[in-house]
Amino acid sequence: MRHLTDASIALLVPLSVLLHLYVAPYTKVEESFNIQATHDIITYGVPLRNANTYLKAHYDHLSFPGSVPRTFLGPLALAGASWPFVWLVEGVDRQILVRAILGLYNAFSILVFRNGIAHAFGSDTANWTLSNFFAFGISTLALRNLMPSYVGSIKALIMLTVIGIIFRSEIAILLGCHTAWLLFSKRLSPMDVVTSGAIGLAVGLGLTVPVDSFFWQNIPLWPELSGFIFNILEGRSAEWGTSSFHYYLTSAFPRLLLNPLTWMICIPMTLTTPALRDRAFDILVPNIVFVAVYSLQPHKEWRFIIYVVPSLTAVAAMGASWIWTRRTKTFLYRVLSIGLVASTLGTFVVSLGMLAVSSSNYPGAEALKYLHAYADGSQNVINVHMDTLSCMTGVTRFLQIPPSQSTSASNGQTLWLYDKSENQTQLLHPGFWDKFDYVLAERPEKVIGGWEILHTIDGFTGVQVVRPGETPRHRMDGDSSLIGSHRWIEDLWPGIGSAMYQSWLEVEDVMRARVTRGWWLQAKMEPQIRILRSTKGSA
């Protein structure tokens, strides 16, 4: 029975990944390079001759290189893992496929980390770690080898060195913090550190330099070194905004560790319990130091520190397990145990709400999907321009219709031509716009020529207060921005989604009438992308 329970809990991790992917299948701008590069490798292959000409003609990154080059090793591995499914399953949605493979790999890494926690602290502790963390796969596997009862520290340092060299330079800080702690606690010798560093350096550079020099046609090239110089030494990352020193502590952590009892009760319980404190320090100290050091960097994003979330959750899980196994001993432990269960369920509900909101964050992708459904097959050639916001909110090459998949028009197939030019001089020239049949635009007044708005796509812009006597937007006739996004549930289980939505409306009525005195909160949806149709051929 115990094994069945553990297996059921473990299964929640990959199922959660797949649910999130189904509800929110599109990508944000931070994923742009990797998703476009993966598409290009799958679609066009890797050229063996005339590489420079071929890459410039077919690959996206040479036309839109971004601020700094990024490694192709991740997209290359992802494309390789996807190829058998692309070849075997005709018509498979390739974007969902590659994101599912990456998500399930991360889920696997989380489960391996969970098993490491079970080995170090017991299975009860491991079962408390599943509700609120998701981290990058390789770093999670590496940190699993740094658990106090493991002897894989050298392996972990090699792995962290490799991914720091290839994927993210900030890993070097995390590596330095863990290395210093291992030396301080005498779990490694200086020679072990030198050996692991040399191996990791050789493997990392041996992979990234030749591969990325080829794809970027720039020899020699070490992408992460370029990024380090740009972001850290030149301080250019501040151009994307800055945050206060305490941002990670006061803003990022509460959102990443969504359950408030994680940092209000569980971690303090672990650190104040003598039987747990020493092992918790082994996990917690190097990760907290990493966050503190990285907080000196003005530009901050939660994804820069996500590597520490599994470790922080592991420390919280130790405290949660300590409370749960003593729930019958005292009244305080009983109350705290009830709080743990209630907060876990509450976190699950909040996560579903956040998932519903996230599905409304991709107006660019929704606009292109609408345009394809509306216009494909209506004429032989359709030329469409996609503006910056469209490309930042879900539009990728995977969503574009290749010639082989076009619907037959009356006199042939529709050939879709896509443009995402950003050159401001071009955009101000009237002749630039003459060639387009449709435009996806955030600001239609900037589109020169004769155009009409075919359709408008709304996007989530925040939370809005509904005052007493006001009607929430999701109750208005004709509005499609339903709180809870019940439509995806309806797609999965016909009839269930509508029933759940009606139940939600009843709960809302009761809460507004008896608890909040008419006050309420709703998702604030505003027009984001307009689909413009050219009127130059109209009478």
Side-chain angles (χ1 to χ4, degrees):
M1 185 65 182
R2 179 58 179 269
H3 293 300
L4 179 61
T5 301
D6 289 347
S8 300
I9 294 175
L11 190 61
L12 292 176
V13 178
L15 288 179
S16 176
V17 170
L18 295 177
L19 175 62
H20 280 71
L21 180 60
Y22 179 84
V23 177
Y26 304 120
T27 62
K28 297 291 281 187
V29 64
E30 293 85 359
E31 304 173 69
S32 178
F33 168 77
N34 288 307
I35 199 72
Q36 305 286 43
T38 304
H39 166 275
D40 294 343
I41 295 171
I42 292 175
T43 304
Y44 304 114
V46 179
L48 301 179
R49 293 182 299 177
N50 302 320
N52 187 271
T53 301
Y54 190 87
L55 290 172
K56 286 183 177 179
H58 296 288
Y59 275 56
D60 183 79
H61 70 288
L62 293 179
S63 299
F64 301 92
S67 302
V68 293
R70 290 298 182 190
T71 183
F72 262 83
L73 283 168
L76 194 61
L78 194 53
S82 304
W83 250 113
F85 300 96
V86 172
W87 183 68
L88 291 172
V89 184
E90 184 178 358
V92 64
D93 188 315
R94 296 182 179 186
Q95 177 162 300
I96 289 182
L97 171 66
V98 299
R99 298 187 76 215
I101 290 174
L102 181 59
L104 291 176
Y105 168 69
N106 282 327
F108 166 77
S109 301
I110 289 173
L111 292 178
V112 172
F113 185 85
R114 173 182 180 270
N115 289 338
I117 295 173
H119 184 272
F121 308 117
S123 58
D124 285 330
T125 303
N127 285 340
W128 281 102
T129 67
L130 292 174
S131 62
N132 59 358
F133 75 75
F134 189 88
F136 297 119
I138 300 177
S139 64
T140 303
L141 294 175
L143 294 176
R144 182 253 199 185
N145 287 285
L146 292 174
M147 288 291 167
S149 63
Y150 274 83
V151 292
S153 299
I154 293 179
K155 183 193 299 183
L157 295 188
I158 292 174
M159 295 171 70
L160 289 175
T161 303
V162 170
I163 62 176
I165 288 172
I166 294 176
F167 295 110
R168 298 298 306 185
S169 58
E170 67 262 18
I171 291 290
I173 303 174
L174 182 65
L175 171 65
C177 294
H178 277 283
T179 300
W181 183 256
L182 291 171
L183 289 172
F184 174 77
S185 59
K186 298 181 180 180
R187 290 173 59 188
L188 282 184
S189 68
M191 184 55 65
D192 291 331
V193 173
V194 172
T195 301
S196 60
I199 294 174
L201 184 67
V203 172
L205 290 178
L207 289 172
T208 188
V209 172
V211 170
D212 293 312
S213 296
F214 169 79
F215 277 103
W216 287 96
Q217 292 294 290
N218 183 4
I219 301 174
L221 176 66
W222 178 7
E224 276 308 298
L225 178 60
S226 301
F228 177 80
I229 293 173
F230 180 89
N231 291 317
I232 306 299
L233 298 185
E234 297 179 358
R236 300 284 299 278
S237 62
E239 296 175 6
W240 280 265
T242 60
S243 302
S244 60
F245 176 82
H246 56 78
Y247 168 80
Y248 289 132
L249 178 64
T250 59
S251 180
F253 277 159
R255 286 182 290 135
L256 291 171
L257 303 172
L258 188 58
N259 188 332
L261 295 192
T262 298
W263 43 274
M264 293 176 62
I265 300 296
C266 296
I267 291 179
M269 175 65 71
T270 303
L271 297 180
T272 55
T273 302
L276 305 176
R277 185 186 303 129
D278 290 343
R279 291 181 297 170
F281 276 173
D282 276 338
I283 300 174
L284 194 62
V285 170
N287 289 290
I288 292 299
V289 172
F290 160 71
V291 174
V293 172
Y294 207 70
S295 293
L296 298 174
Q297 177 70 6
H299 177 62
K300 298 177 177 65
E301 296 183 40
W302 62 265
R303 60 193 178 99
F304 296 156
I305 60 156
I306 197 172
Y307 320 103
V308 308
V309 173
S311 298
L312 295 181
T313 310
V315 174
M318 295 167 65
S321 178
W322 183 269
I323 293 170
W324 184 254
T325 54
R326 287 158 179 79
R327 63 188 181 277
T328 60
K329 293 186 177 182
T330 68
F331 176 76
L332 177 61
Y333 281 132
R334 189 176 302 115
V335 172
L336 290 177
S337 297
I338 294 173
L340 288 175
V341 174
S343 65
T344 300
L345 295 175
T347 300
F348 175 74
V349 173
V350 172
S351 297
L352 287 181
M354 294 173 65
L355 174 59
V357 167
S358 71
S359 67
S360 302
N361 276 332
Y362 306 96
E366 294 289 353
L368 187 58
K369 179 181 177 181
Y370 180 93
L371 180 58
H372 285 157
Y374 173 82
D376 192 35
S378 63
Q379 58 194 73
N380 289 338
V381 179
I382 294 179
N383 209 324
V384 55
H385 172 78
M386 304 168 294
D387 74 351
T388 300
L389 183 61
S390 299
C391 295
M392 292 177 64
T393 55
V395 169
T396 70
R397 284 189 158 194
F398 276 116
L399 300 187
Q400 298 176 6
I401 298 179
S404 60
Q405 294 182 10
S406 296
T407 303
S408 296
S410 57
N411 56 347
Q413 289 188 321
T414 296
L415 174 63
W416 284 83
L417 302 177
Y418 302 90
D419 175 84
K420 53 181 183 177
S421 301
E422 299 175 320
N423 187 293
Q424 293 301 311
T425 302
Q426 279 188 324
L427 297 178
L428 292 174
H429 195 284
F432 170 79
W433 300 98
D434 288 343
K435 61 185 177 182
F436 297 115
D437 302 292
Y438 297 92
V439 172
L440 307 186
E442 176 188 14
R443 300 182 64 181
E445 67 273 13
K446 289 190 172 185
V447 180
I448 301 173
W451 302 89
E452 63 180 359
I453 296 179
L454 173 66
H455 190 64
T456 299
I457 303 295
D458 291 347
F460 176 79
T461 59
V463 177
Q464 187 175 27
V465 175
V466 180
R467 298 176 179 276
E470 292 181 347
T471 302
R473 180 175 178 177
H474 59 279
R475 289 177 176 265
M476 297 179 182
D477 292 338
D479 181 63
S480 60
S481 56
L482 304 178
I483 286 183
S485 190
H486 78 284
R487 289 167 294 173
W488 59 267
I489 304 177
E490 186 72 16
D491 292 339
L492 281 174
W493 301 289
I496 300 297
S498 296
M500 290 180 64
Y501 182 62
Q502 291 301 319
S503 298
W504 168 258
L505 294 181
E506 293 175 5
V507 170
E508 179 184 305
D509 289 337
V510 172
M511 292 293 291
R512 292 190 72 185
R514 300 182 181 181
V515 180
T516 66
R517 298 184 179 181
W519 294 88
W520 200 245
L521 296 176
Q522 70 174 4
K524 185 179 180 181
M525 306 290 292
E526 293 183 351
Q528 296 281 306
I529 302 296
R530 282 81 173 177
I531 305 174
L532 307 181
R533 178 171 52 192
S534 174
T535 59
K536 62 179 179 289
S538 302

